[in-house]
Amino acid sequence: MDIIIQKKATIHLYTFLVSKMISSLGANVYTFGISMYILAMTGSAFSFAANLIFSIIPRTIISPIAGILVDRYSRKSIVLLGQLGVILSITSLLIFSMLAELSLLAIYVTTIIYSISSTFSMIAFTASIGNLVDPSRIQKAMSFNQLSLSIAGIGGPLIGGMLFGFVSVETFFMINIVAYVMAFLLESTLDFKFFSNSESIPNSKESVFQSMKASVAYVKTKPVISKLLMLIFWLNLFFASVTVGASFIFVEVLEIEYKLVGMIEAAGAVGMLLMALYLARRSKLKYPLLFSKRALLALSLLVGAYAIPLIMPLPAGSVFFYYLLNMFLFGSSLVLTNTPIGIIIQTEVEESYRGRIYGIIEMCAMALTPLGTLIFGLLYDVIPAQYILIICSIALALTIFFLMPSTFIHSIYPELKRNTSSNPHEVLEKKKQFNECNEKVDEIKRTTNPTTHPFR
C-alpha cells in the first residue's frame, strides 16, 4: 500500500509541475501579448496602464474572499472552475474579435474576468499542495512551484513577443486557450484530498465576516505565521525600491543600452530557475525558518549593493557585469526566501485555514505592488537613488532582525540553542574522535580490498 501511495504522490508531483508550468507560462504569454496589442492599437501608455489596473484591483479585492471560499468548499472544484473561467474569458474575446473589431472595452472586461478566475484557481491550487504530495516532498513541490514561475518569467515575454510578431491575434488567443485546456485536463486528474485531514473541514455556515475574524484569531495563535505575514508585508514594500529603481538606474542614471538592460533583467529569472532546481534536488531543509532568515539578510545586502556603482564609478563593462551578477544573486535569494516560507505555511497552517492565509498573502502582494511603485516612483524623482537603496537595505535588515530575532528562532528550534551552547572543547574532541574512526575504517578498506593493490 505504501508503494502505491508513493507512486500516486509522485504522479501528483509531476502533474502539478506540468500544469502549473503551463498555466504560469500561459498567463505570462497572454499578459505580454495583450499588452503589446494595446500599445500597438492605441499607442497610449495610459491604456496600457489601465489594463494593469484592471488586473490588479480585482485580485486585491477578491483574494481574501477567495481564500475563505477555498477553505469552505471543494478545492478541486474551485481550481477547475477558475481555469474554466479563464478559458471562457479568452474564448469570448476570440469570438468577439472574429465577429467585430477588437476594442479596448472588450479587452478590459476580459482582463477583469480573467483576473478574478485566475485568483480563485491560483489560491486553491497553492493551498492544496500539502494535500497533493506527502510531507517529505513538500519542499520539492514548492521548488517546482518556483521553477514554473521562473520558466514563465523567462519564456512568457519571449513566446508572447514571437506570437505577437508572427501570428494573428485570433491565433494568439487560440494558442492560449489550448494551453489552458491542457492545464484543466491535467488538474482534473489530481486527487485534492489524497493527503487531506478530513477532521479539519470548517463550518460552511459562517458568514464572511465571521470567517475573516476566525482567521485573524487563528493567526494570533501561530507566532511563526503572524511574524511571516508581517515580514511579507514589509518585504513587498521594500522590494519595490529595486523593481522601480533598477530600470530607472539602468536607463536614466547609468544610461546602459536597452539590450544589456534586458540581459540584466533576465539574469534574475535565470538565478531563480537554477536555485529552484537546486532546492528540488537537495535534501529536506532542517530549519526552514532559519534558512529563510539568512536568505532575507542576503537580499537586504543585495539591495544596498545596487548603490555601489552610483557611489564608486566603475568602467562601463564592469558596471554591466556587476549588475548582471547582482541580479542573478537577487533572483537566487528570492527563491531561497520564498521556498522555505512556502514550506512553513504548508506544514504549520492547518488545512482549514490555508486558503485564507494565502488569500491574505495575495492581497498584500497585489495591494503593495502599485503602492510601492507609486511611493518609490515619487522618491526616485527627488532623492538620489543611492540614498534610497542604502536606507531600504538598512531598514529591511532591521525589520528582519526585529521580526525574526535569534531568541525567536531558538524558541522554534530548541535544538539549535543546545548545539550553539555546547562546550567548544567537547565539540573539537568529538570531531577528532570521528576523524580517527574514519581513518581506521579507510585503512581497513584499503587492506581488505584487492583492487587497491597493484598487480603482483
Side-chain angles (χ1 to χ4, degrees):
M1 183 60 71
D2 288 340
I3 295 175
I4 295 173
I5 291 173
Q6 288 293 318
K7 185 176 180 180
K8 189 171 181 179
T10 301
I11 294 171
H12 274 179
L13 182 65
Y14 288 99
T15 303
F16 165 77
L17 171 63
V18 176
S19 63
K20 184 73 175 181
M21 196 175 297
I22 292 172
S23 296
S24 301
L25 192 59
N28 281 32
V29 168
Y30 175 80
T31 301
F32 185 87
I34 206 69
S35 298
M36 292 298 101
Y37 183 83
I38 290 171
L39 286 174
M41 182 172 66
T42 65
S44 168
F46 177 78
S47 300
F48 169 79
N51 193 57
L52 292 178
I53 291 169
F54 287 128
S55 175
I56 291 171
I57 290 178
R59 277 184 179 273
T60 306
I61 296 171
I62 210 71
S63 289
I65 299 172
I68 292 170
L69 297 179
V70 164
D71 285 338
R72 187 174 293 183
Y73 300 108
S74 167
R75 289 176 181 172
K76 182 172 184 176
S77 298
I78 292 174
V79 168
L80 295 180
L81 285 172
Q83 290 285 41
L84 192 60
V86 169
I87 293 167
L88 291 176
S89 65
I90 302 177
T91 302
S92 300
L93 192 61
L94 170 63
I95 294 170
F96 185 89
S97 68
M98 296 171 73
L99 298 176
E101 187 178 354
L102 199 58
S103 65
L104 276 179
L105 179 61
I107 293 173
Y108 291 157
V109 171
T110 302
T111 296
I112 292 171
I113 299 171
Y114 180 99
S115 179
I116 293 171
S117 301
S118 61
T119 299
F120 275 95
S121 182
M122 184 272 296
I123 292 176
F125 207 8
T126 308
S128 302
I129 291 174
N131 305 130
L132 294 171
V133 299
D134 49 299
S136 63
R137 283 188 280 189
I138 286 178
Q139 177 177 316
K140 181 168 283 191
M142 297 308 298
S143 299
F144 280 172
N145 188 47
Q146 291 291 321
L147 180 65
S148 64
L149 296 175
S150 303
I151 291 175
I154 297 171
L158 180 64
I159 298 172
M162 289 175 62
L163 291 177
F164 177 75
F166 293 103
V167 303
S168 65
V169 68
E170 289 81 9
T171 305
F172 173 77
F173 290 148
M174 283 190 281
I175 291 171
N176 275 275
I177 292 167
V178 170
Y180 278 110
V181 168
M182 290 172 60
F184 178 89
L185 293 174
L186 286 170
E187 289 159 10
S188 67
T189 66
L190 296 172
D191 182 357
F192 281 71
K193 294 184 178 180
F194 192 50
F195 289 96
S196 176
N197 177 11
S198 58
E199 297 178 358
S200 62
I201 301 301
N203 181 12
S204 60
K205 295 181 180 180
E206 282 184 341
S207 67
V208 172
F209 177 76
Q210 288 173 330
S211 191
M212 286 183 175
K213 188 176 178 181
S215 62
V216 171
Y218 173 78
V219 168
K220 289 180 179 179
T221 66
K222 294 280 186 177
V224 174
I225 303 303
S226 62
K227 285 182 179 291
L228 280 179
L229 289 177
M230 285 190 286
L231 192 60
I232 289 168
F233 175 88
W234 289 110
L235 287 179
N236 279 288
L237 184 61
F238 284 129
F239 284 163
S241 66
V242 173
T243 55
V244 175
S247 298
F248 176 78
I249 292 167
F250 298 154
V251 176
E252 299 295 331
V253 180
L254 298 175
E255 297 181 350
I256 299 174
E257 295 180 31
Y258 283 104
K259 62 180 180 181
L260 297 181
V261 172
M263 293 174 66
I264 293 171
E265 297 285 352
V270 172
M272 292 177 68
L273 174 65
L274 295 179
M275 198 52 62
L277 287 171
Y278 163 72
L279 286 177
R281 294 181 62 86
R282 69 154 285 164
S283 58
K284 184 179 177 181
L285 296 174
K286 193 173 182 181
Y287 308 115
L289 192 63
L290 178 62
F291 192 91
S292 185
K293 178 183 176 179
R294 290 170 176 170
L296 282 168
L297 290 172
L299 276 173
S300 67
L301 290 175
L302 290 169
V303 170
Y306 265 89
I308 290 178
L310 305 177
I311 300 170
M312 302 168 54
L314 300 172
S318 300
V319 169
F320 167 70
F321 285 109
Y322 175 85
Y323 280 116
L324 193 74
L325 177 62
N326 190 295
M327 188 64 81
F328 176 85
L329 294 174
F330 194 87
S332 302
S333 299
L334 277 177
V335 173
L336 293 177
T337 298
N338 292 338
T339 303
I341 289 176
I343 293 169
I344 294 167
I345 293 172
Q346 291 289 337
T347 55
E348 295 293 326
V349 177
E350 276 79 1
E351 182 183 341
S352 58
Y353 287 94
R354 216 175 286 152
R356 278 169 279 185
I357 296 300
Y358 277 111
I360 293 169
I361 291 172
E362 181 70 7
M363 180 185 68
C364 289
M366 289 295 102
L368 288 173
T369 297
L371 179 62
T373 301
L374 176 63
I375 291 172
F376 286 102
L378 294 171
L379 288 176
Y380 277 110
D381 282 338
V382 295
I383 301 174
Q386 58 268 32
Y387 297 141
I388 295 174
L389 292 167
I390 291 171
I391 290 171
C392 286
S393 175
I394 296 170
L396 183 56
L398 291 175
T399 303
I400 295 165
F401 282 121
F402 176 74
L403 292 175
M404 300 173 67
S406 297
T407 52
F408 178 71
I409 300 290
H410 288 154
S411 70
I412 303 301
Y413 309 118
E415 61 273 24
L416 278 175
K417 191 171 183 180
R418 289 196 295 270
N419 291 340
T420 54
S421 62
S422 300
N423 189 327
H425 296 292
E426 292 179 4
V427 175
L428 288 173
E429 184 63 29
K430 288 179 180 179
K431 189 175 180 180
K432 183 179 178 183
Q433 292 174 2
F434 179 76
N435 290 336
E436 289 176 354
C437 181
N438 279 343
E439 289 175 3
K440 289 179 181 179
V441 171
D442 291 339
E443 181 63 29
I444 291 170
K445 286 181 179 179
R446 284 194 297 271
T447 56
T448 57
N449 186 356
T451 59
T452 60
H453 297 288
F455 290 111
R456 291 173 181 165

